Amino acid sequence: MNEFNYCPECASKNVAYDGIKWVCSDCGYCLYNNIAAAVGLLLTVNNKILLFRRTKDPGKDKLGIPGGFVSPDESMEEACRRECREEIGIEVPDFVYLCSCPNTYPYRNIIYKTCDVFFTAEYPESEEKLMSSIKTLDGEAADCILTDLSKLNLESLAFYSARYAISVLKEKKGF
């Protein structure tokens, strides 16, 4: 768990964590351990799902899906569209809510607790058109592939929440 050595308000060392918030016993400062919001898109075509190899930690070299953190003043839907543009260069077609799942995202010695919200979309054109449209732009994704949903090894994915979301999608599609 993340720790604070000093109170951000008065610099006291008397800061305690109660499982929900950090409280300074000297000045009463309180900092809640709120979760971060994140999104992911399960983009499918002909019962295949678009995946890519993650080029950065956490989960470097494991499989991922387009997605990321929601920016301030951005809706989940806006974040999903933005992340898809940034990571794979695609304007996503109409998508719908699938599920949500808590996740842990360790990055640079900080543990982020997130609530990941997943959407799903069926690409409206052919597999070939989808693959030729992909442009990995932000350096987070490489080696994009389409994988048969029914044969996908969920353990190859970087994050528990993505494995969970894909299992929900597979169940919904009858796999």
Side-chain angles (χ1 to χ4, degrees):
M1 179 50 65
N2 304 323
E3 293 184 25
F4 288 93
N5 295 320
Y6 299 95
C7 172
E9 185 75 20
C10 73
S12 167
K13 287 188 174 188
N14 298 319
V15 178
Y17 182 67
D18 68 6
I20 296 174
K21 63 189 175 303
W22 291 272
V23 177
C24 175
S25 60
D26 290 342
C27 74
Y29 180 82
C30 178
L31 176 65
Y32 282 87
N33 188 18
N34 293 326
I35 57 110
V39 295
L41 179 69
L42 306 181
L43 185 58
T44 58
V45 58
N46 299 326
N47 289 321
K48 294 181 179 175
I49 186 167
L50 179 72
L51 301 170
F52 56 74
R53 184 178 47 81
R54 291 180 53 83
T55 60
K56 298 179 181 178
D57 278 323
K60 183 177 179 180
D61 294 326
K62 290 201 146 215
L63 294 178
I65 60 172
F69 287 102
V70 178
S71 297
D73 300 321
E74 184 176 54
S75 71
M76 297 288 189
E77 294 82 2
E78 291 166 335
C80 189
R81 285 185 182 91
R82 175 184 52 75
E83 287 288 346
C84 286
R85 277 193 309 273
E86 291 175 1
E87 290 185 350
I88 59 173
I90 289 182
E91 290 294 329
V92 294
D94 292 336
F95 54 87
V96 295
Y97 171 82
L98 177 67
C99 64
S100 66
C101 184
N103 194 21
T104 300
Y105 190 90
Y107 184 70
R108 294 189 176 181
N109 298 320
I110 296 177
I111 297 171
Y112 294 90
K113 291 294 194 175
T114 66
C115 182
D116 298 349
V117 174
F118 293 94
F119 297 95
T120 185
E122 179 72 20
Y123 193 72
E125 299 183 52
S126 70
E127 294 174 29
E128 294 79 18
K129 176 73 173 171
L130 170 60
M131 296 309 286
S132 67
S133 300
I134 294 172
K135 294 170 186 60
T136 54
L137 303 174
D138 68 358
E140 290 188 31
D143 306 325
C144 293
I145 59 170
L146 283 171
T147 301
D148 190 317
L149 264 172
S150 65
K151 298 175 184 170
L152 176 60
N153 174 6
L154 294 178
E155 293 307 310
S156 62
L157 290 147
F159 300 110
Y160 165 78
S161 61
R163 293 189 293 270
Y164 173 79
I166 291 172
S167 69
V168 170
L169 181 62
K170 285 172 78 168
E171 184 176 313
K172 186 175 180 179
K173 288 186 172 268
F175 295 123

